[in-house]
């Protein structure tokens, strides 16, 4: 006879078994909400968005009064705390959002701590000539309103804070409602770092319960001089319509081309490593593959040797009905498919179980062969599901990959040793990031050269944002002096 235990009953049984084994009941799960974590109250997190903006304004005044050395001291302590508390934020993020992987989220926080530029990114430009000297400096905007996603919540708050503080700005956050505790943990971390460095106890701020209404207060407050939005198409559109200077870091759907000159074994491993990083949550992660038909079987074998599980096209269709759901727009009545939030960022094993396939923990990605029109190719799933489309040649590969990217101009990848093919695709796809012969995360400095960011601003053109992206240029002219040659 099957018994349907409730979750509470199972927890009680586990607790009593554990007590028998160890003499004590297991520790209670961490308790968290936007206002605090494990009974500890977050610093800089307010009930009312207006109070949060007041606090960010005061933080801005404090930053303006700091020397560059003092700002750098705060930033260095942020880096230290971020490294030390990376595993805590990673577990909290997975626990709260039910998305991603603790080991990868830990690595993402360490990347932010190590490779987000600080004050050295702020440089002045000088021109001298017959008429004297003209200096152009990168000045702060003032208070920045930052909207952050659920996919990299604390990573984005810390990365943006480092850059915005380095540039001399104050910041108020409106984090994703599904990741409030994790995002606000990061706000608290920044404020602890400030206090430890001798700065104000509240340098950056946020709200206990962010909503579209709190975002709207932020948009309208005249003290907010710059909006920075990291998220999907809806929210990017909303900040760009706000009437304020805005930086939009929007959605991607990165295609990968593999041609027949590539090192196929390496390509298979790199693609699976990149695609499965944090269970495909990063917006730069590989979302669909266009493989030359003459190497497709070998590529699939290389992927299988690296933790990929190949499903049939029937199973792919079955899975598509679960991971994508129909939504009706209440205003227009138009129906469209959207990703099922319960499947985003989940383990491949968990997704396979939904279609009755049971595999071991070594399986980290689901692969399938599909047509170009398949929803897995067209939709940004943010799950470890990778469709592979066979193509005849480079012309077809580029044409389909550019279409699959949907004009986001976000990220694209290619595995090839043919310089002409690489150049042709890079030119055609016009993405902010183009990674050649490496996993996608090389594009944000993880195993690749260059600084990191979790705010990749394609639509508004700042690209791989850093401190200088959050500045406005100011010119100072000294007439007929200071040219010493
Ligand atoms: P999302 O679009 O669901 O939400 C982002 C944030 O916007 C949240 O704080 C949400 O509450 C808020 N929001 C949504 N609609 C809004 C509106 N009309 N007005 C004000 N605020 C609004 O994002 P998500 O699901 O957490 O993140 C995934 C999406 O973000 C993907 O499309 C991904 O590609 C993209 N993303 C892009 C980058 C980048 O750097 N370009 C980084 C991370 C995520």
């Amino acid at each position: 006879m099957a018994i349907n235990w409730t979750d509470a009953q199972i927890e009680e049984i586990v607790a009593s078994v554990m007590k028998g084994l160890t003499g004590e009941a297991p520790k209670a799960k961490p308790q968290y909400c936007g206002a605090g974590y494990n009974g500890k109250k977050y610093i800089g997190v307010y009930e009312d968005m207006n109070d949060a903006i007041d606090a960010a304004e005061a933080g801005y005044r404090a930053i303006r009064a700091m020397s560059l050395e003092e700002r750098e001291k705060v930033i260095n302590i942020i880096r230290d705390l971020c490294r030390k508390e990376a595993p805590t934020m990673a577990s909290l993020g997975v626990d709260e959002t039910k998305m991603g992987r603790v080991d990868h989220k830990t690595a993402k926080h360490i990347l932010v701590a190590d490779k987000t530029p600080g004050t050295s990114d702020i440089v002045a430009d000088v021109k001298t000539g017959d008429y004297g000297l003209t200096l152009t400096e990168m000045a702060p905007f003032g208070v920045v309103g930052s909207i952050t996603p659920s996919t990299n919540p604390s990573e984005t708050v810390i990365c943006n804070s480092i850059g915005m503080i380095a540039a001399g700005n104050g910041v108020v956050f409106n984090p994703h409602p599904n990741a409030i505790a994790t995002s606000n943990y990061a706000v608290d971390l920044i404020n602890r770092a400030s206090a430890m460095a001798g700065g104000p106890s509240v340098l950056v701020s946020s709200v206990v319960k962010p909503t579209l209404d709190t975002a709207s207060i932020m948009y309208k407050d005249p003290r907010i001089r710059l909006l920075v939005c990291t998220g999907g198409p809806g929210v990017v559109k909303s900040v760009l319509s706000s009437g304020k200077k805005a930086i939009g870091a929007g959605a991607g759907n990165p295609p990968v081309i593999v041609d027949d000159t590539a090192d196929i074994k390496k390509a298979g491993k790199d693609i699976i490593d990149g695609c499965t990083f944090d269970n495909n949550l990063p917006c730069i992660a590989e979302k669909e593959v266009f493989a030359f038909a003459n190497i497709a079987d070998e590529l699939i074998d290389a992927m299988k040797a690296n933790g990929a599980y190949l499903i049939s096209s029937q199973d792919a269709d079955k899975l598509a009905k679960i991971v994508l759901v129909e939504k009706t727009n209440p205003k227009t009545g138009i129906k469209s498919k959207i990703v099922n939030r319960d499947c985003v960022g989940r383990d491949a094993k968990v997704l396979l179980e939904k279609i009755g396939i049971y595999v071991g923990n070594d399986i980290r990605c689901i692969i399938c062969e599909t047509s170009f029109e398949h929803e897995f190719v067209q939709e940004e799933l943010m799950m470890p599901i990778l469709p592979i489309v066979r193509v005849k040649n480079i012309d077809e590969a580029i044409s389909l990959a550019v279409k699959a990217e949907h004009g986001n101009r976000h990220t694209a990848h290619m595995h090839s040793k043919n310089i002409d093919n690489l150049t042709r695709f890079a030119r055609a796809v016009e993405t902010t990031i183009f990674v050649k012969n490496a996993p996608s995360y090389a594009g944000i400095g993880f195993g690749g050269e260059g600084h990191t960011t979790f705010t990749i601003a394609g639509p508004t053109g700042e690209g791989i944002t850093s401190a200088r992206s959050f500045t406005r240029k100011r010119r100072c002219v000294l007439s007929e002096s200071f040219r010493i040659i």
Side-chain angles (χ1 to χ4, degrees):
M1 185 185 71
I3 301 172
N4 291 325
W5 300 105
T6 64
D7 286 352
Q9 283 169 318
I10 292 170
E11 268 178 34
E12 205 179 305
I13 293 164
V14 172
S16 72
V17 171
M18 290 295 289
K19 196 167 181 196
L21 292 175
T22 63
E24 59 179 273
K27 280 196 188 130
K29 280 187 85 177
Q31 294 297 311
Y32 50 78
C33 63
Y37 171 65
N38 261 2
K40 197 178 88 52
K41 203 169 160 7
Y42 289 145
I43 306 163
V45 178
Y46 298 84
E47 296 281 346
D48 187 329
M49 176 52 95
N50 295 298
D51 294 337
I53 297 173
D54 288 347
E57 165 88 11
Y60 169 54
R61 283 197 301 272
I63 293 168
R64 288 302 304 267
M66 284 181 195
S67 65
L68 282 175
E69 207 175 319
E70 284 166 338
R71 273 189 226 166
E72 200 53 37
K73 191 173 170 196
V74 175
I75 290 168
N76 281 334
I77 298 177
I78 294 172
R79 296 188 199 281
D80 287 348
L81 293 181
C82 183
R83 275 183 210 108
K84 209 168 108 214
E85 297 176 30
T88 307
M89 288 184 277
S91 312
L92 182 54
V94 172
D95 211 18
E96 184 182 26
T97 64
K98 310 281 176 274
M99 304 191 299
R101 294 174 47 125
V102 174
D103 50 350
H104 293 169
K105 283 194 187 293
T106 303
K108 281 159 73 182
H109 284 86
I110 295 182
L111 178 68
V112 166
D114 291 348
K115 293 192 91 172
T116 307
T119 54
S120 61
D121 197 49
I122 306 296
V123 287
D125 181 53
V126 173
K127 279 220 165 1
T128 64
D130 294 344
Y131 297 101
L133 175 146
T134 293
L135 170 70
T136 306
E137 289 195 289
M138 295 181 173
F141 268 91
V143 183
V144 181
S146 175
I147 291 185
T148 52
S150 59
T151 46
N152 322 302
S154 36
E155 301 90 313
T156 308
V157 167
I158 296 175
C159 188
N160 281 2
S161 294
I162 292 176
M164 290 166 186
I165 292 169
N169 297 292
V171 199
V172 55
F173 288 96
N174 196 67
H176 198 287
N178 296 346
I180 306 174
T182 315
S183 314
N184 284 346
Y185 184 105
V187 169
D188 176 80
L189 181 149
I190 306 291
N191 289 325
R192 281 186 280 129
S194 169
M196 285 164 78
S201 57
V202 177
L203 195 59
V204 303
S205 64
S206 175
V207 284
V208 173
K209 202 169 175 298
T211 59
L212 294 184
D213 290 339
T214 56
S216 164
I217 295 172
M218 200 163 101
Y219 291 0
K220 290 186 190 130
D221 194 302
R223 292 170 296 173
I224 307 284
R225 304 291 194 131
L226 168 68
L227 290 166
V228 176
C229 169
T230 318
V235 63
V236 169
K237 192 170 168 212
S238 88
V239 293
L240 295 185
S241 328
S242 67
K244 284 203 169 150
K245 160 78 184 174
I247 294 179
N253 193 35
V256 192
I257 292 179
V258 185
D259 76 11
D260 55 4
T261 66
D263 176 341
I264 304 299
K265 281 201 171 53
K266 181 176 180 305
K269 179 177 186 313
D270 284 355
I271 293 169
I272 297 300
D273 284 349
C275 171
T276 56
F277 190 57
D278 208 16
N279 279 345
N280 202 253
L281 291 178
C283 49
I284 55 159
E286 294 82 349
K287 300 286 191 283
E288 61 278 336
V289 175
F290 298 92
F292 276 32
N294 57 347
I295 50 87
D297 290 335
E298 194 187 342
L299 182 69
I300 289 170
D301 286 344
M303 290 177 169
K304 280 159 72 178
N306 284 283
Y309 186 91
L310 180 67
I311 58 170
S312 66
S313 56
Q314 291 85 345
D315 280 336
D317 292 343
K318 221 161 127 187
L319 191 58
K321 290 203 174 75
I322 296 167
V323 303
L324 289 156
V325 288
E326 205 164 71
K327 192 186 163 201
T328 310
N329 182 320
K331 283 188 195 143
T332 60
I334 296 171
K335 288 185 171 83
S336 62
K337 286 280 178 74
I338 57 161
V339 287
N340 177 352
R341 283 270 161 186
D342 289 341
C343 297
V344 173
R346 299 298 162 110
D347 291 345
K349 185 174 181 264
V350 171
L351 297 173
L352 282 171
E353 280 169 15
K354 292 182 186 294
I355 52 166
I357 296 175
Y358 298 87
V359 295
N361 288 332
D362 54 324
I363 295 301
R364 50 187 180 133
C365 190
I366 302 166
I367 55 171
C368 48
E369 284 199 52
T370 68
S371 67
F372 168 73
E373 290 75 24
H374 198 277
E375 289 156 320
F376 285 172
V377 174
Q378 301 302 324
E379 301 295 329
E380 186 199 23
L381 296 180
M382 294 181 286
M383 306 165 200
I385 298 175
L386 191 64
I388 300 158
V389 179
R390 285 181 194 245
V391 290
K392 301 192 285 289
N393 53 34
I394 191 66
D395 295 332
E396 191 186 14
I398 293 176
S399 158
L400 295 184
V402 169
K403 281 187 197 138
E405 213 272 325
H406 300 311
N408 295 319
R409 303 204 291 181
H410 193 297
T411 300
H413 310 283
M414 184 157 175
H415 294 264
S416 169
K417 288 180 188 155
N418 181 321
I419 295 173
D420 293 340
N421 287 354
L422 286 163
T423 309
R424 276 186 61 194
F425 183 34
R427 283 200 179 149
V429 74
E430 292 188 277
T431 46
T432 306
I433 298 179
F434 187 75
V435 179
K436 301 170 191 153
N437 299 321
S440 49
Y441 42 69
I444 51 164
F446 195 78
E449 290 300 328
H451 72 270
T452 201
T453 186
F454 279 85
T455 295
I456 299 150
T460 47
E462 292 76 8
I464 323 297
T465 57
S466 62
R468 67 179 62 186
S469 316
F470 312 121
T471 60
R472 51 192 279 268
K473 290 195 175 156
R474 293 175 57 190
R475 174 184 274 199
C476 183
V477 179
L478 181 69
S479 182
E480 290 170 13
S481 269
F482 271 87
R483 180 171 163 90
I484 57 166
I485 50 173

